[in-house]
Amino acid sequence: MKRLLSGNEALAWGAYHAGARVATAYPGTPSTEILETIARFDDIYAEWSTNEKVAMEVALGACYAGVRTIVSMKHVGLNVAADPFMAASITGVNGGLVLICADDPGTHSSQSEQDNRHYARLAKVPVLEPSDSQEAYDMMAIAFDISEQFDTLVMVRTTTRISHSKSVVDLSRSRPAPTGEVGFPRNVSKYVMLPVNARFRHPLVEERMVKLAGFAETSPLNRVESGERNLGVITSGVAYQYAREVFPDASFLKLGITHPLPRELIRRFAGQVDRLVVIEELDPFLEEGIRAMGVEVTGKDFIPLVGELSTDVVGKGAVSAGILTEPPVPPGITAVADLPKRPPLLCPGCPHTGMFFVLASMGQRLKPPDSGDNPAKKSNLIITGDIGCYTLATYPPLNAMDTTACMGASIGQALGMEKAGIDTNIVAVIGDSTFLHSGITPLVDAVYNEGKITVVILDNGTTAMTGHQEHPGTGVSAQGNKATKVELENVVRGVGVSDVRVVDAFNMKELRAAARSALASPELAVIIVRGACAVGVPQRGEPRVVDAGKCNRCDVCLLIGCPAIQTVDDKVYIDTTLCVGDICTICQQVCPQKAITPVTGETE
Amino acid sequence: MKALMKDPLSLIVIGVAGQGNVVTSYLICNALVREGYLVTFGQSYPPQQRGGSVINYIRVSTEIQTSPIIPEGRADVIVAMEPVEAMRMLNQYGNPDVITMVNPRPIQAIDTTGLGVEYPSLDKIMEDIRGLSARTWVVNATEEAQKLGNAIMANVVLVGALVGSGVLPLDRKSMEPVIAERFPKAVELNMSAFDRGVELVKQ
């Protein structure tokens, strides 16, 4: 069966056809669709875990119980899961355990670009890198076999381009019937990492790497494609595709296993070519390994360390290094400059907009359309931020975010600023899914250490930024079943916060009152702002319109940053195809002239 | 399998998030796969939010599985749901042989609400698009879709126009199962949107 599949879909099908019985993940671009695809199969257990650390631990338990298990996350997710990941390396597995780690070269949707192959070197586990969807599908079966044969977690590293691009896949395998019984073979020296046991496991890990290096020498995943001998290219992942297009006649050593390196294969290949180069995205991971072998090689002197590669980037690099005399792709045309940009924005009807407008007004941060400087610099309010759609409130006109570091950081950062002696008001803003992911422990810290900050939890009832995944607060499981709902206000009160308010995200009066009182409070205060994500609301109410007769162009409505509110021919106008209408009405509530009304109101 | 007008053939489908151009690409790509072509589909980021530009790259070949990104200046066909987005793609991926198909209905950018560059005059944009393309098809997709009852079907009208123009080795027969699979509850309505698109380029 041939199908057009994204790399993520192909990885999911590959795991399914390899007989995986348990799948865990926390959503994160570009990895999310792996679990979303797996969750659609009935005969596999799939869960959205609270965070990546938990996902890794659940996966570890499942593989100890003897079933093939897949855990997936984005690159920075592995930072969260690093502790159980390192432990998995030491204990090894029972059923096969495959971690899919999706890196984001080019920082399309992340706080950083990091090359997670370094983690594999740290943990001493093998890495496989697919170059297209077909390989992604095929590699999953091999990854599970390696995991079980060598008693190791196997990392499959994809990147945004591999995960999200679609190509044709032949789904040639089928799902095997469950083999063997599920059972945990109690083995204290393998599974209880007391120092006395861990000490004896470490030499086994080193032996494992030697055996894996031998395996990599002859595995068909590492293959030589002989071409002209004047140029030899060692490459992996999506970089293979770009390099193939730029150097169609060169010889290639295409590595599917990038850790540990097949040293003898590399030496033989190097001996067969006049000039050896490595084309790889992000860090010189392969290049440094090869150079350390004493083999003469170049790569990062003409291929950028930073950002994503492409046929253009590799081509330009090749010209600068004198490998090609002219770029393989002639430059295009130069045409019209100064087109309006379309940065991503909070949607029309977004439940985050109202609270940000309140915080921005109270902090005097709103940026009038024609002002040059950024008023947030002079604000009397500090807003520490977190990771989600709401990070977009950083942009004008709201200017409502001062920090964003990693999942859950807002609360700890706010507390740190307070303890450092900042005397202005400090507000931490965090989403519902992010709060459950890693906001609870810093809130406990703020309770315990007598913090006086205000924490705003923006509860839109979903994991919106990654495309509406369920989480413990939604009451629905990854596979669409009813689940026990974790109530945010119970969690917050349960850890010891007494000043807790739950407010309607679209009621400006309530929002203002809650913010004023929390900021004035001498103790830790939590405001839960509740309102459904606009994208998830199927019914649109009556759109709003601007009465041009009443509008005096004070432009307050433009300061909420709603994409439906625009100016055309010097008049403020609401695009009725974008406006969500009755569920929102924030513009109507903030208009001092009462010039914004329901669309039918005009004709009354 | 019919030969392509160029092999590999590189198409860009561009629009503003929420206009449905990922569905446009989905229909085209899956119809091509059913006919046996090798297809690679890539996209720009972040596509999740409303209001941003969404670029889809489609590369088709009878022989090779290509890389997912179209090199600069190397688009063969640009299908744009919005005029400024068509211009943006011509700037980056245009060349003297490029064929452009554009839905001329502008969508204002938040930049134009006093925060940056103004939306250019539509006449000027359309004139520039024509000047920079070897062939230009102007398809009033939104308008036609509204006549059929829902502006959201503009993307299917555009698919019809693209197939009707003969740029791709596809016809009504190859599109119908894909449209039926994507819109199982509204097959007839979407097929009429498709047919309307075909008619528009035949006129």
Side-chain angles (χ1 to χ4, degrees), chain A residues 415-499:
Chain A
L415 184 70
M417 287 189 187
E418 179 200 317
K419 298 300 181 189
I422 297 275
D423 57 2
T424 54
N425 278 314
I426 307 166
V427 179
V429 179
I430 186 167
D432 48 344
S433 189
T434 308
F435 175 73
L436 291 164
H437 175 284
S438 51
I440 300 171
T441 44
L443 187 64
V444 172
D445 191 74
V447 169
Y448 167 54
N449 290 303
E450 310 271 344
K452 297 172 180 53
I453 55 170
T454 295
V455 176
V456 174
I457 303 175
L458 298 171
D459 180 13
N460 61 0
T462 187
T463 316
M465 190 64 153
T466 44
H468 295 92
Q469 290 73 35
E470 305 296 341
H471 65 64
T474 68
V476 180
S477 79
Q479 293 184 293
N481 303 315
K482 195 171 178 303
T484 303
K485 184 174 177 176
V486 175
E487 301 285 353
L488 295 181
E489 44 271 55
N490 292 352
V491 172
V492 172
R493 289 198 181 98
V495 302
V497 182
S498 50
D499 186 351

Side-chain angles (χ1 to χ4, degrees), chain A residues 11-29:
Chain A
L11 289 163
W13 276 97
Y16 182 69
H17 283 169
R21 301 281 149 194
V22 172
T24 66
Y26 181 81
T29 311

Side-chain angles (χ1 to χ4, degrees), chain B residues 39 48 90 114 137-138 154:
Chain B
V39 177
Q48 297 94 334
L90 282 165
W137 305 85
V138 179

Side-chain angles (χ1 to χ4, degrees), chain A residues 77-211:
Chain A
L78 189 52
N79 302 340
V80 178
D83 210 0
F85 167 71
M86 297 299 289
S89 167
I90 288 280
T91 68
V93 303
N94 181 18
L97 176 59
V98 177
L99 160 69
I100 303 177
C101 198
D103 285 10
D104 188 19
T107 329
H108 294 290
S109 190
S110 305
Q111 66 267 43
S112 68
E113 47 182 3
Q114 66 183 36
D115 191 331
N116 271 20
R117 295 177 297 180
H118 294 297
Y119 266 117
R121 187 141 64 189
L122 180 69
K124 298 174 182 178
V125 296
V127 179
L128 309 188
E129 288 190 67
S131 288
D132 59 28
S133 297
Q134 181 70 57
E135 278 194 3
Y137 172 74
D138 294 337
M139 269 187 187
M140 287 309 292
I142 302 169
F144 277 110
D145 288 345
I146 293 174
S147 173
E148 285 164 3
Q149 186 184 342
F150 295 93
D151 191 10
T152 181
L153 173 151
V154 173
M155 182 198 280
V156 173
R157 183 229 192 195
T158 80
T159 55
T160 306
R161 285 294 157 199
I162 296 296
S163 282
H164 282 178
S165 298
K166 296 193 179 200
S167 54
V168 181
V169 180
D170 184 4
L171 295 173
S172 53
R173 295 177 282 122
S174 57
R175 183 161 170 86
T179 53
E181 280 174 35
V182 176
F184 173 56
R186 195 165 170 275
N187 183 345
V188 167
S189 65
K190 178 167 160 64
Y191 296 121
V192 182
M193 284 308 97
L194 282 164
V196 64
N197 293 334
R199 228 171 272 146
F200 286 106
R201 292 292 305 172
H202 186 186
L204 299 178
V205 170
E206 299 300 340
E207 279 169 32
R208 181 175 81 199
M209 286 313 281
V210 173
K211 287 181 195 156

Side-chain angles (χ1 to χ4, degrees), chain A residues 21-365:
Chain A
R21 301 281 149 194
V22 172
T24 66
Y26 181 81
T29 311
S31 71
T32 312
E33 300 81 4
I34 299 167
L35 192 101
E36 281 187 326
T37 305
I38 288 182
R40 289 186 200 117
F41 299 117
D42 291 332
D43 50 347
I44 187 167
Y45 171 78
E47 73 162 45
W48 290 124
S49 306
T50 327
N51 63 31
E52 293 86 351
K53 178 180 188 291
V54 177
M56 183 73 78
E57 288 155 354
V58 173
L60 203 51
C63 98
Y64 286 174
V67 305
R68 288 191 161 187
T69 304
I70 172 178
V71 49
S72 51
M73 58 192 65
K74 69 183 294 178
H75 59 330
V76 289
L78 189 52
N79 302 340
V80 178
D83 210 0
F85 167 71
M86 297 299 289
S89 167
I90 288 280
T91 68
V93 303
N94 181 18
L97 176 59
V98 177
L99 160 69
I100 303 177
C101 198
D103 285 10
D104 188 19
T107 329
H108 294 290
S109 190
S110 305
Q111 66 267 43
S112 68
E113 47 182 3
Q114 66 183 36
D115 191 331
N116 271 20
R117 295 177 297 180
H118 294 297
Y119 266 117
R121 187 141 64 189
L122 180 69
K124 298 174 182 178
V125 296
V127 179
L128 309 188
E129 288 190 67
S131 288
D132 59 28
S133 297
Q134 181 70 57
E135 278 194 3
Y137 172 74
D138 294 337
M139 269 187 187
M140 287 309 292
I142 302 169
F144 277 110
D145 288 345
I146 293 174
S147 173
E148 285 164 3
Q149 186 184 342
F150 295 93
D151 191 10
T152 181
L153 173 151
V154 173
M155 182 198 280
V156 173
R157 183 229 192 195
T158 80
T159 55
T160 306
R161 285 294 157 199
I162 296 296
S163 282
H164 282 178
S165 298
K166 296 193 179 200
S167 54
V168 181
V169 180
D170 184 4
L171 295 173
S172 53
R173 295 177 282 122
S174 57
R175 183 161 170 86
T179 53
E181 280 174 35
V182 176
F184 173 56
R186 195 165 170 275
N187 183 345
V188 167
S189 65
K190 178 167 160 64
Y191 296 121
V192 182
M193 284 308 97
L194 282 164
V196 64
N197 293 334
R199 228 171 272 146
F200 286 106
R201 292 292 305 172
H202 186 186
L204 299 178
V205 170
E206 299 300 340
E207 279 169 32
R208 181 175 81 199
M209 286 313 281
V210 173
K211 287 181 195 156
L212 280 162
F215 176 84
E217 294 288 353
T218 54
S219 167
L221 293 182
N222 294 330
R223 66 169 190 264
V224 174
E225 297 170 1
S226 295
E228 287 173 8
R229 62 170 294 153
N230 60 345
L231 181 67
V233 180
I234 300 180
T235 182
S236 68
V238 75
Y240 165 75
Q241 294 193 44
Y242 304 138
R244 261 275 164 229
E245 286 178 11
V246 174
F247 312 113
D249 303 321
S251 293
F252 276 77
L253 172 53
K254 193 236 178 247
L255 295 180
I257 304 175
T258 51
H259 186 67
L261 289 177
R263 288 159 177 260
E264 289 316 308
L265 183 63
I266 290 169
R267 261 186 233 287
R268 278 202 305 280
F269 181 73
Q272 287 160 10
V273 297
D274 301 335
R275 178 172 182 176
L276 184 68
V277 300
V278 173
I279 310 288
E280 62 190 317
E281 255 175 348
L282 298 182
D283 292 344
F285 184 83
L286 301 175
E287 185 184 345
E288 284 175 358
I290 294 166
R291 191 172 297 122
M293 289 162 47
V295 173
E296 196 181 326
V297 64
T298 58
K300 287 295 162 183
D301 52 334
F302 66 96
I303 297 295
L305 269 170
V306 177
E308 180 177 41
L309 300 186
S310 64
T311 307
D312 287 321
V313 170
V314 174
K316 280 171 197 156
V319 172
S320 76
I323 302 170
L324 295 180
T325 48
E326 57 187 271
V329 174
I333 44 168
T334 315
V336 179
D338 280 347
L339 293 172
K341 293 189 179 68
R342 299 188 194 274
L345 298 160
L346 293 176
C347 301
C350 176
H352 303 332
T353 301
M355 191 46 150
F356 279 121
F357 183 76
V358 167
L359 292 175
S361 321
M362 290 174 75
Q364 295 165 359
R365 300 163 156 264

Side-chain angles (χ1 to χ4, degrees), chain A residues 350-432:
Chain A
C350 176
H352 303 332
T353 301
M355 191 46 150
F356 279 121
F357 183 76
V358 167
L359 292 175
S361 321
M362 290 174 75
Q364 295 165 359
R365 300 163 156 264
L366 295 167
K367 181 178 177 172
D370 49 359
S371 81
D373 63 7
N374 182 352
K377 282 181 187 160
K378 291 171 254 164
S379 176
N380 57 2
L381 185 69
I382 294 173
I383 305 174
T384 59
D386 231 293
I387 294 190
C389 291
Y390 46 92
T391 318
L392 297 171
T394 308
Y395 296 117
L398 291 167
N399 298 305
M401 203 157 277
D402 298 321
T403 66
T404 294
C406 61
M407 293 287 284
S410 58
I411 300 173
Q413 286 178 336
L415 184 70
M417 287 189 187
E418 179 200 317
K419 298 300 181 189
I422 297 275
D423 57 2
T424 54
N425 278 314
I426 307 166
V427 179
V429 179
I430 186 167
D432 48 344

